[in-house]
Amino acid sequence: MPQPSNTTGQLNLAGPAGGLERSLSGLFTVTCSVPVGSKVRITPSDGAGGQFWSSTSQPGDYGSVYLTAATPTATFLYAPSSAGAKSITLTNNGGLANPTAYAYEATAATPGSATPFRLVRGGVTVGRYATLQQVKDQGGWQSGDVVKVTGGTYVVFNTTDPGNTTLVTNTGGVQTGVLVDTTIEWETPGQPMVLDYSRYWQIGMLSGGQPQLLTMGQSCRNLTVRGLHFRGARSPMGESRLGAAIWTTVSTANSTYPAATLTVEYCKFWQCIDGIHTQETHYGLSNYIRYCVFEDNSDPQGLRHDIYTGRNALTYVLGCSFRKTPGQGYPQAGMGHAIKSRCRATTVLACMLDVQMFADGTGGCAQNINTPNGGVVVIAGNVINHYGSLSNSNDGNCLRYGDDQHTKTVDTNPDPSLTVHSLLLAQNTLRKYNGRPADGSDKALISIYPTGVATTLLSGAGSQIPVTTVVRNNIVASDTPRAASFVSQYPANTEVSVSVLANNGEYTGAQIAGSPAVNDAPFEWAGDFTPPAPRTDSQRGARTRYLPGWLPTTAWQWKEIPGTVWADYIRDDGNGVAPKVTSVDPGPSKTYLATWEYSGPTYSRKNHEIWMFGGGHAGSTINILTRWNLHKEKPDVEMVSAPTPESVRRAWVFGGKLLTTAYFPADGKPYSPHSYWNNMYSDARDEFISFGIAAIATSTDGANLTAGTASFHDIAGHPRSGQWRPAKYYADIPTYPDGSFEYYGPRAMSQDGMVVYYWPQGQGMKKYSFATNTHTHVGGTMSMPSSRLAISGDGKLTLHVGQDSSAGWVVQSCDLATGQRSNVTVGGDAIPADLQCYGVEWVEPLGAYVTMWITAGAFNNDSIKTDPNIATVVIATLRLSGPASATATVRQTKGQAPTKCNSVRGMFYDPNYGCMIVATSPTKPLMAIKVA
């Protein structure tokens, strides 16, 4: 059969838009529009001295890639020689049409110092050095010294480059390593030293070296590494070779194995072969790895190990994250492990092991955790997602225990101190997803060698000793019958559907009580580079946070939240959770519904709660504080603080004292004000705040409004688990000349825990600090008297959206550093007329603001009894392209939108739920709408 002609094809090039100067890019992919016949050599170039490598290159030809009929796709990596705009072109020897030049932006490295290593001895600085080799050679590095490292991004290729941690004279060679007991840590906690060794590693691999970026050497007995981020790179050739960011070669002292300790905290290891690799045998070495991130570590054979520890004393892993990202690994066949420990004791607590498999075959692993030599193993409070491999025959397990210690082999651990084999697997969330039907060759969730149940394994001395196994209070899921088999074998666990477990381990459904009711997991994963949160509960699974089953699942579709009609709980007749309202209650509105008049609730993202306080427009003095509890399968409403007793309020009203203070002195509770948008919740303080006790109405006869109103400058606070703070606990809001506006300007809680607020009539922006209890005028003079406010994702801007749609989009942004406002020009979809803005929220996943608009006649209604109808609800997003321009998109929603409104605001974004929570009326349920 004749081969296709090469002259008819068009080459295509796809890849990343940019990367760091002098370091390796992500993968570029070359394809052809038609199958090629004969082998075609393709050579990339940037015309500026950049280097290229390919996995299909031949020795001496590393800059080229090849396409054949059997290999229609080729990939290469690129290292620009300098920062700036680059143009990558392709040439070929097969007569194919070359693609247009590919634009690539090389960003400049940002090293924090030319001498980033500061040697400290006894609290005194010895000197500052460019490399660790200089610390050793020039500083006289001694045991007990501390090396402080300056944060920043460093590209390391040559041995003299600032930031180099290798202690060798030849690129890629075996190192002598750190030879003293020492600590190497960040100068400023939270500001890591980011070391990009990708080009160094590439050349080292090509020259036959074994890349090691930091080695714990022969005479070192205690090494602590804190706040360093290591980027290596995998070999571009079709080979597999040892290499790791951190390596150990600690002396065994003639097989006496003296105690030694490696401690690694707040570090990152990505695109290395192994992240951490300790020596095969050292029975005295203990390894502590805390709050680290391991990402895309692999070689051409697939994932090797994020952490590999040999026959050591202990491996302890706490609060670490393990993950893969698309296109950054190598296709693999069920290889490698996130954690492999041959130690006689292994503990893994509160980690996130999300080693995902992608459609192109990259990612995945054989086992998330492999302890092949048994020992004392504790695995508790972890999220373990296992995504299998390319086929069931190459499938693995979430956990494998003891397979090299059943019969004596070269891999058996002969440690004389290995005298106990026990496994505790408890309060984890295990999610195994193969993406294909089971065929008998797929693997179980866990493997306890050889039968999956308690058996015997070899001691270090070679005798068979029993294995004790406790597997309890785990949540497990699988897209095959393997989860059901797991629960059948280990009954004290719960199987759930794969669909109700998020990748972060959060479970959609009611919390599952543990049985037995014991706490085996002392911590819960809290995020990258973050110490895990303590936990003492006995519920099943790794996450105390979960997702309620009532959450909407379809984007932009409205859904009622069950059990959330406020008036069903806060009843005037006393049959709910609040005391009875009688006919002698002072004020014309003898009803709890008055709480909603000219008032609006607020939201706690931390607790998933709506808090409501207010009223007063119709002369009510009922100062009840309530909240919705949403983070449960059956949400409800509770009374947080009962209203001041009727008798006290009557005496105060008839005594003519209502307008003399903002609090009832008898119980120290604040008046019920027009809260407008003054209500807010401080998640940092875990406290409800009413920022301004506004527009209090009074009466001399207890039935009619007869004596006007007053507004106060008080800030009222109610801790979540406490009671109202005393009057004047927080400094009053400064007096504003026009009292009708001092409580009415837009305000919000900023990301740094301060309150940002605006006085409309050209007085600019102010901030209130809880930490210092002070108000500060920031600046700015532009005013928007009636607007909705949200703070940007980076915390640098507020966005103000005009309340009335009659003039179209009226939007301003405000710089939180200066108070300066800018008018924002809005393109895209227009907003319909005769609507009013009910809320605006920043939504990080969308990279946009979400606004909600309702019928103008239903907004801000002052008669609770009419319960006004909402004829129109519009959801629109605003995506800023700078502080002065934005694009609007009206979203097409589904389902029944809210139909009644008795509140001035009530739309809140919950990032954990991925939806808006909307409160509009005390007589209607809350609504939720998923944003995507």
Side-chain angles (χ1 to χ4, degrees), residues 436-476:
R436 54 187 174 273
D439 61 4
S441 62
D442 59 303
K443 304 301 188 296
L445 269 70
I446 68 172
S447 170
I448 303 174
Y449 197 84
T451 63
V453 295
T455 180
T456 63
L457 293 174
L458 293 173
S459 69
S463 61
Q464 293 286 344
I465 58 176
V467 177
T468 59
T469 303
V470 176
V471 180
R472 63 190 180 198
N473 292 336
N474 300 285
I475 292 177
V476 297

Side-chain angles (χ1 to χ4, degrees), residues 294-456:
F294 298 83
E295 181 177 300
D296 295 328
N297 297 306
S298 63
D299 75 359
Q301 303 304 311
L303 172 68
R304 291 181 63 91
H305 315 96
D306 288 319
I307 299 172
Y308 177 91
T309 53
R311 297 169 183 85
N312 305 154
L314 166 70
T315 291
Y316 180 91
V317 186
L318 174 66
C320 293
S321 303
F322 302 80
R323 60 172 171 258
K324 290 286 192 176
T325 58
Q328 297 302 315
Y330 284 92
Q332 57 86 38
M335 288 193 63
H337 317 91
I339 301 170
K340 184 170 184 176
S341 170
R342 295 186 178 276
C343 298
R344 63 176 179 266
T346 302
T347 298
V348 182
L349 300 175
C351 290
M352 178 66 63
L353 296 102
D354 189 24
V355 190
Q356 190 167 167
M357 165 75 73
F358 300 103
D360 62 358
T362 60
C365 64
Q367 289 90 38
N368 299 77
I369 302 173
N370 188 6
T371 55
N373 300 106
V376 178
V377 175
V378 176
I379 300 171
N382 304 284
V383 177
I384 304 174
N385 294 330
H386 186 81
Y387 294 89
S389 58
L390 299 176
S391 66
N392 286 342
S393 60
N394 288 319
D395 189 22
N397 320 99
C398 297
L399 166 68
R400 193 168 176 87
Y401 177 94
D403 48 318
D404 287 342
Q405 204 69 18
H406 184 251
T407 336
K408 189 171 183 180
T409 68
V410 294
D411 291 322
T412 301
N413 187 356
D415 182 353
S417 298
L418 178 57
T419 59
V420 178
H421 292 299
S422 65
L423 171 65
L424 173 64
L425 181 71
Q427 288 184 289
N428 301 285
T429 298
L430 293 86
R431 181 176 184 260
K432 193 172 192 294
Y433 186 80
N434 284 11
R436 54 187 174 273
D439 61 4
S441 62
D442 59 303
K443 304 301 188 296
L445 269 70
I446 68 172
S447 170
I448 303 174
Y449 197 84
T451 63
V453 295
T455 180
T456 63

Side-chain angles (χ1 to χ4, degrees), residues 60-219:
D61 188 26
Y62 298 121
S64 299
V65 298
Y66 293 87
L67 294 182
T68 68
T71 56
T73 300
T75 58
F76 64 82
L77 300 168
Y78 166 55
S81 61
S82 61
K86 307 298 178 183
S87 183
I88 300 173
T89 59
L90 300 182
T91 57
N92 72 92
N93 67 352
L96 301 171
N98 294 311
T100 57
Y102 188 97
Y104 184 94
E105 185 67 28
T107 57
T110 54
S113 172
T115 53
F117 298 101
R118 180 169 70 92
L119 182 62
V120 180
R121 183 173 302 143
V124 178
T125 298
V126 175
R128 298 177 183 272
Y129 309 96
T131 68
L132 276 187
Q133 190 74 51
Q134 292 179 3
V135 173
K136 175 184 175 183
D137 296 342
Q138 300 174 23
W141 203 354
Q142 300 177 11
S143 286
D145 288 353
V146 175
V147 180
K148 297 285 189 176
V149 299
T150 305
T153 300
Y154 300 79
V155 175
V156 181
F157 176 60
N158 297 303
T159 56
T160 57
D161 285 343
N164 192 1
T165 57
T166 63
L167 294 165
V168 293
T169 56
N170 61 306
T171 302
V174 177
Q175 299 187 47
T176 59
V178 178
L179 300 177
V180 296
D181 295 351
T182 192
T183 294
I184 305 170
E185 66 178 5
W186 45 21
E187 183 80 59
T188 303
Q191 297 181 17
M193 169 184 264
V194 180
L195 300 169
D196 191 312
Y197 282 93
S198 57
R199 200 158 148 259
Y200 163 89
W201 200 311
Q202 197 81 3
I203 296 298
M205 292 296 287
L206 293 176
S207 64
Q210 179 173 299
Q212 301 162 20
L213 305 184
L214 183 62
T215 299
M216 183 178 181
Q218 286 275 307
S219 57

Side-chain angles (χ1 to χ4, degrees), residues 861 863-869 899-902 921-924:
N861 193 275
S863 177
I864 196 70
K865 299 173 184 177
T866 62
D867 208 17
N869 293 316
T899 58
K900 304 287 184 181
C901 183
N902 301 106
S921 172
T923 61
K924 295 295 181 181

